[in-house]
Amino acid sequence: MEYISTRNKNLSFSFKEIFLRGLAPDGGLFIPKEIKTYDKSEINKLQKLSYIELATEIISYFCSPEIDKNNLKNLLKKSYKSFQTNEVISIKKVGDINLLELYHGPTLAFKDIAMQVLGNMYEELKLSSDKTINIVVATSGDTGSAAIAALNNRSNINVFVLHPHNKISKIQRKIMTTIGSNNIYNIAIKGTFDDCQNIVKEMFSENAFREKINMSGVNSINWARIVCQIVYYFYSYFKLDDEKVSFAVPTGNFGDIFAGYIAKKMGLPIEKLIVSTNENDILEKVINTGEYKPGKVKPSLSPSMDVQISSNFERLLFDVLDENDKKVSDLMNDLKTKGSFKLNEKQTAIIKKDFSAKKINDQETISIIKKFSKDYNFIIDPHTATAIGASKVVKDINKIIILGTAHPYKFLETIKIATSQELEVPKQIAHLMDKKEKYDILDNKITDIKNYILEKIS
Ligand SMILES: *Cc1c(COP(=O)(O)O)cnc(C)c1O
């Protein structure tokens, strides 16, 4: 598979290169040069496969020839061994909704599904065999712990995780700051998730620094993450066994829902992809009005969606603008210099064909959690609750799959407020609860972070 940048179609990269680099040298995002579309009979054949077999089919298309299909299958088996379900994910009927539970991995959020695979890909691609790799990752709460669980104790790999200080849940922080061993560094930045993400992106675009530390990234701008997430759109579609489905997705950086968009491009009959946001409603605004204008991040009850600069949206722009790399660069330049850009009516209409979007505020989130607990004796987490709220934009709820992105225990304070219930600690993380936390607090200054990293690896 050949890859290009959203800001320059003429540069060509291999899977191995885009995996290691994460971000294109021109600041753009990597995307495949072409995407295969399955016809109806090919899709029917996929229906019979187990999760691992299906994942092997879909993922191998994007990472061949560098990863051999048989090796990939073994890699996937190894990656999902620790999951607390037989088939990695599970789909349940709760009341009248179809809930896709994606949180049975080691750190209780959907991020584990891709991250466990990425962890093993570093070895498979022999990226860390000659020279130590330093992975720098920004997290709004769940990516960090998933990355640490996937990369803990690996030789020749260090992981630096930047999270916004005091802006993630206590349990999110606890998981992140207790599982790590010597190769893991947790940094609390005095700022927001957007600040953390900006620091990482900036470091990637500084060639000298990037090369000096042999830097790599596992944020959702890394295409391999998106690829792993395409699988469960197919798998859950097959389980529902309906002609057409829609998906409601709690959205922050536009990575997870973009995987659904790629599934649709590959031929999966998806009606609508429904974006749910919290008060950080930049995506709701751009989809409904065409204006993309990041504001200040507002802390909410769904902290993993507290994002204003939704990086993966650039990948959708590339399609909406007819793969015109120059136009993408111009809009991204507007964003940088003027602080916003605006899509015209025709472009917005193209987006609306595939996407709907709705904002769900904290008060609504609480009442949805409360209602589910009362009506069905079932506890959902605040992120999943926003998707349930947003799913109302489509009439027939039976044909919608709601992505359950995190285990409610990660947000037990909110669950307690909504339901007065104390949750039992899930067994994946029970052993971490008494362990001492380890993290350093730094100012929101890129030079401080760079010096910290240089000092730790010297
Ligand atoms: C990361 C995360 C999201 C947002 O996913 P994106 O791919 O960034 O859109 C939603 N819910 C939870 C629980 C998350 O951890």
Side-chain angles (χ1 to χ4, degrees), residues 35-47 234 237-238 263-269:
I35 287 177
K36 166 194 171 107
T37 312
Y38 292 96
D39 63 27
K40 226 171 161 181
S41 77
E42 286 171 305
I43 295 212
N44 287 343
K45 269 191 216 140
L46 297 175
Q47 177 142 24
F234 275 85
Y237 166 78
F238 294 143
K264 185 170 183 177
K265 281 180 75 144
M266 293 172 82
L268 198 68

Side-chain angles (χ1 to χ4, degrees), residues 1 3 15 32 58-64 223 227 230 262 266:
M1 168 65 72
Y3 289 86
F15 179 76
I58 291 173
I59 300 171
S60 76
Y61 169 71
F62 292 99
C63 62
S64 66
W223 176 254
V227 166
I230 297 169
I262 298 294
M266 293 172 82

